[in-house]
Amino acid sequence: MYQPKKTLPQAFFKRVHDIPNQALFYDKRQGQWQATTCEDAKTQVLKLASFLQQHGVCAGDRVAIVAENSTRWALCDLAIMSLGAIVVPSY
């Protein structure tokens, strides 16, 4: 029987737990491609979620992301969703 994942953040945290040292994102910094590992991404998501929570963001709130597609956008998206808040993208 089909068993769907409950949320995208739950799937993210399970996956990064399974492969913490694997590269998840690549960004060009100072002219060279550099990897962000799953463990680094998880740490950044948790820190951002904690920051947002300390500033009053909670489940059901709507949070806009005004940015181009990037690793940072994805990390913000996961942090917001992990709080149960709703991401409102703006391109």
Side-chain angles (χ1 to χ4, degrees), residues 1-88:
M1 176 180 258
Y2 175 69
Q3 295 285 330
K5 299 286 184 199
K6 294 186 187 222
T7 66
L8 287 173
Q10 286 174 338
F12 167 75
F13 287 117
K14 179 179 180 343
R15 186 68 176 152
V16 299
H17 175 76
D18 295 343
I19 53 168
N21 297 317
Q22 186 170 327
L24 181 63
F25 297 109
Y26 286 92
D27 293 291
K28 204 165 201 178
R29 297 180 220 146
Q30 299 175 346
Q32 295 191 2
W33 289 101
Q34 296 184 9
T36 299
T37 66
C38 289
E39 187 64 29
D40 291 339
K42 179 182 92 172
T43 299
Q44 290 179 50
V45 168
L46 292 173
K47 283 182 180 180
L48 182 53
S50 178
F51 174 84
L52 292 169
Q53 190 174 47
Q54 289 172 9
H55 286 82
V57 175
C58 57
D61 287 351
R62 285 148 182 82
V63 180
I65 299 176
V66 181
E68 295 179 6
N69 287 338
S70 65
T71 297
R72 288 182 179 156
W73 195 101
L75 297 173
C76 289
D77 189 31
L78 285 162
I80 293 164
M81 287 189 296
S82 71
L83 293 173
I86 300 162
V87 177
V88 181

